[in-house]
Amino acid sequence: MAQTPADPPSTVGCTDASSPFDQSSADVVLRTCDNVNFRVHSPILAQASPFFSDMFSLPQPPRQEILGARGVGAVIPDAIPVSEDSGTLDLLLRILYPIPKPSMEEPGPLVPVLKAAKKYDMAWPVVILSERLTATMSREPLQVWAAACRAGLEYVARGAAVALRNTPMRNALIGNNRQEALTGIESLGDMEGISAGDYFRLKQFLEAQDDVEHIAVLKVERATGSRKAHRHPVSFTTNLPSTDVICRTSSNAGDLEPFRDFHAHRAVLSIHSSVLDTRLAELAEKEQSDLAGDPTRRQQPKLVLEFDEPPEVVATLLRYCYGGYNNAASLKLITQTLAVSYKYAMAQITPQIRMAWDHEADKDPLHAYFTAVHHGLRDCARAAASGLRTGPVAKAMEYNITMETAPSLTYHRLLVYHDSCSSVMRDILTRERIGIPGLVGWRVRQAFRSDPSFSDTQGLTGGLETLGTSGTRGSSSDLRSQIQELLIRQVDNPGHNSNYPWSNSDSRLFIRSLLRLANEVPGEIDAACKAVCISGNIRFL
């Protein structure tokens, strides 16, 4: 028998796990993503996990025999690669094995272990870890809620939400009735693994004044396919003759063909994109070099330009390049196409695609906001956030199915932006409200305090206070209309008529205030809110 190395090639660069997962009696090796070998016993794995039980019931490959220093043979099982890291697998196996258990006091490190246990259908570790999270709930309810969201444990997340409702932390999170964002939730960091839907439901749960039994804390059936998958029509053709480029894309999952080809013209692509022009020039140079090196090789009739993007995106992009558009495109498809137009530096058609995006975004600004952030379109995200602020209804505060696949941090930043804009609006309206009685209200009240029918400027200042307190959102034109309604009611007040001895100076001051409110203040609020968005204090990406 030929001598083999003491370490087989498959173990090069790997290390062994610590005791008890380094025993020679083990008959299975699990290799983690960070190249640590855990030697474990198949009966324990099979008993704890139907996943491994089914795996071990299948025919196994022959074991590898190697020779040690004395020529004694040892049977080494082939390693089974797993996607977990060594820390996660170590804790999971220690829960399974009849050995002392670690303390498991911090909620965060338990999340990847819970996910692994659910992945391998291990019911016992899920029970143990859920109990540990519940035991930590009174001390760190917010951290436990976050861990339960990431692991998809509804009953643990609900218990943590109930604990939050019953502690002073509830008031700290929801703040006053003027704010939408949860204060202090930034302590969770990037909130990775928590959806905007989870955030929305926690907020709803904490703000509810009555029975909360009907409010779910997690959406158990994750909505990865909540929006019905819409297969966009994939088509692009041109009537122009002599196409000389094949735009090749990889097909969507489920398509019978491995790729999709669209025929186009090098000149058109080069005009619209310097990036594609460079790639086409490199392809042409390579083709000439290959021909020169192999005289028997036939020249390809067309250059093949490969795209990473899906076929529907490339087809839509080509339509714009040839002066057309896709009027059946969804917001998602338009967003993808817009992002690709930036990637390929297509300055001529990008404004047209952006116009189509703006049109679709107006229909569903919250979906537009989430989609823009996902594709790294900062300006579009800002526009969608502004659209939510200026819309007739505060749709950012309403549930939207896209929340289930959107990151919670993205949603939190949107709410912080809205709170900042509301604060700006309150400050400006409060300034104007205080200024009106300071200019004329006191004199008017002194002149007519004997007349009970006269309400001086209270109707106007009270209305401004209501607008500012409620934080009503709207565009400058919407806000102008609301202020004008207040002014009309003030002028129509029966106490205001020509028989009352207003002085000219009082009248001028009052009229000047009214004109400023009607014409200048709405635009000032709009500009101040735009400054909030541009300042960089509110990060959308």
Side-chain angles (χ1 to χ4, degrees):
M1 179 183 293
Q3 193 82 0
T4 59
D7 291 318
S10 60
T11 65
V12 174
C14 297
T15 58
D16 288 332
S18 59
S19 177
F21 309 119
D22 58 352
Q23 298 175 359
S24 59
S25 61
D27 59 340
V28 173
V29 174
L30 299 179
R31 179 169 298 160
T32 61
C33 63
D34 51 350
N35 290 325
V36 178
N37 289 332
F38 285 77
R39 299 177 184 273
V40 294
H41 301 82
S42 60
I44 295 179
L45 286 182
Q47 188 67 30
S49 167
F51 174 88
F52 282 108
S53 177
D54 292 342
M55 177 187 293
F56 298 147
S57 68
L58 299 174
Q60 301 298 309
R63 306 259 175 120
Q64 182 179 11
E65 181 177 352
I66 63 173
L67 296 180
R70 297 182 180 180
V72 179
V75 176
I76 302 297
D78 288 335
I80 300 173
V82 295
S83 59
E84 289 73 29
D85 61 30
S86 55
T88 298
L89 189 61
D90 183 85
L91 182 52
L92 179 61
L93 293 174
R94 289 182 186 279
I95 295 174
L96 294 180
Y97 269 62
I99 57 177
K101 312 303 177 191
S103 60
M104 298 183 286
E105 293 295 331
E106 294 298 323
L110 304 186
V111 173
V113 186
L114 268 165
K115 289 183 176 180
K118 295 176 75 173
K119 169 184 171 182
Y120 298 121
D121 199 13
M122 296 178 175
W124 175 243
V126 172
V127 172
I128 295 295
L129 293 168
S130 298
E131 290 176 350
R132 291 308 309 154
L133 287 175
T134 302
T136 315
M137 199 174 287
S138 60
R139 179 167 52 87
E140 295 185 271
L142 186 60
Q143 297 290 339
V144 171
W145 169 81
C149 288
R150 290 166 174 142
L153 300 175
E154 165 69 29
Y155 59 97
V156 177
R158 186 175 191 83
V162 170
L164 284 168
R165 274 182 67 89
N166 297 331
T167 64
M169 189 179 293
R170 174 194 181 189
N171 294 331
L173 281 169
I174 62 178
N176 56 57
N177 58 5
R178 296 180 178 180
Q179 72 181 47
E180 298 293 345
L182 293 176
T183 304
I185 203 167
E186 295 90 347
S187 62
L188 297 177
D190 61 8
M191 293 185 259
E192 183 179 356
I194 305 172
S195 73
D198 296 332
Y199 185 111
F200 177 88
R201 283 181 288 274
L202 176 65
K203 182 174 179 294
Q204 189 181 41
F205 193 91
L206 295 178
E207 291 176 345
Q209 299 300 321
D210 50 8
D211 182 33
V212 294
E213 288 299 320
H214 65 287
I215 302 177
V217 179
L218 295 187
K219 190 175 181 67
V220 178
E221 296 180 2
R222 293 290 175 177
T224 53
S226 303
R227 284 182 170 264
K228 292 184 179 180
H230 176 61
R231 295 300 299 272
H232 304 283
V234 181
S235 63
F236 167 76
T237 56
T238 175
N239 294 326
L240 297 177
S242 306
T243 58
D244 53 0
V245 174
I246 296 175
C247 297
R248 177 161 295 170
T249 71
S250 58
S251 293
N252 290 307
D255 287 350
L256 297 178
E257 300 175 350
F259 52 82
R260 294 294 304 270
D261 287 346
F262 302 104
H263 296 263
H265 297 83
R266 178 178 176 180
V268 174
L269 298 177
S270 296
I271 288 173
H272 284 288
S273 169
S274 59
V275 176
L276 295 182
D277 179 49
T278 301
R279 287 179 55 186
L280 287 167
E282 291 173 350
L283 287 172
E285 183 180 352
K286 183 178 183 303
E287 177 69 14
Q288 293 301 319
S289 175
D290 291 344
L291 287 173
D294 185 1
T296 63
R297 186 175 181 274
R298 295 180 58 187
Q299 183 172 1
Q300 295 295 325
K302 296 181 180 181
L303 298 175
V304 178
L305 183 63
E306 295 186 353
F307 288 83
D308 296 329
E309 293 74 26
E312 61 269 16
V313 174
V314 176
T316 303
L317 195 70
L318 290 172
R319 287 185 179 188
Y320 277 100
C321 287
Y322 280 80
Y325 61 93
N326 187 352
N327 54 6
S330 66
L331 176 62
K332 178 181 178 181
L333 177 55
I334 295 175
T335 307
Q336 290 175 308
T337 307
L338 182 60
V340 172
S341 75
Y342 284 116
K343 172 183 175 181
Y344 294 131
M346 295 179 160
Q348 295 184 47
I349 63 173
T350 295
Q352 302 171 42
I353 306 174
R354 175 60 191 269
M355 287 179 61
W357 186 90
D358 289 337
H359 176 74
E360 291 298 319
D362 287 341
K363 301 176 185 178
D364 193 349
L366 187 58
H367 182 205
Y369 168 75
F370 287 136
T371 307
V373 172
H374 177 73
H375 289 280
L377 301 175
R378 184 183 297 271
D379 289 341
C380 290
R382 288 174 171 171
S386 179
L388 283 163
R389 178 185 65 82
T390 60
V393 180
K395 291 188 176 180
M397 315 317 150
E398 299 175 354
Y399 178 77
N400 188 301
I401 194 64
T402 57
M403 290 180 174
E404 301 305 330
T405 52
S408 59
L409 184 59
T410 298
Y411 184 56
H412 176 70
R413 287 172 175 168
L414 175 65
L415 297 184
V416 171
Y417 164 67
H418 274 252
D419 288 341
S420 299
C421 290
S422 294
S423 178
V424 165
M425 179 176 175
R426 281 195 301 271
D427 291 345
I428 294 176
L429 290 180
T430 299
R431 181 196 68 199
E432 297 300 320
R433 176 179 61 82
I434 294 174
I436 290 172
L439 290 171
V440 66
W442 181 83
R443 298 180 191 177
V444 173
R445 281 196 296 271
Q446 290 299 312
F448 300 105
R449 61 184 175 181
S450 61
D451 187 344
S453 67
F454 183 69
S455 60
D456 62 275
T457 58
Q458 289 178 3
L460 178 59
T461 57
L464 289 175
E465 184 175 11
T466 301
L467 273 178
T469 302
S470 64
T472 301
R473 295 167 176 83
S475 63
S476 57
S477 59
D478 295 330
L479 187 57
R480 186 174 288 110
S481 297
Q482 296 176 63
I483 292 178
Q484 285 174 350
E485 289 180 10
L486 286 174
L487 300 182
I488 291 171
R489 289 201 298 270
Q490 178 68 16
V491 173
D492 286 344
N493 189 298
H496 291 169
N497 59 64
S498 58
N499 294 325
Y500 291 104
W502 286 50
S503 68
N504 289 336
S505 60
D506 288 338
S507 299
R508 284 195 297 272
L509 290 172
F510 189 60
I511 291 171
R512 186 179 297 124
S513 298
L514 299 185
L515 291 174
R516 171 171 169 75
L517 278 171
N519 298 317
E520 298 179 22
V521 170
E524 182 180 343
I525 291 175
D526 206 29
C529 288
K530 288 180 179 178
V532 168
C533 188
I534 296 172
S535 66
N537 295 327
I538 309 301
R539 296 181 296 118
F540 294 116
L541 297 176

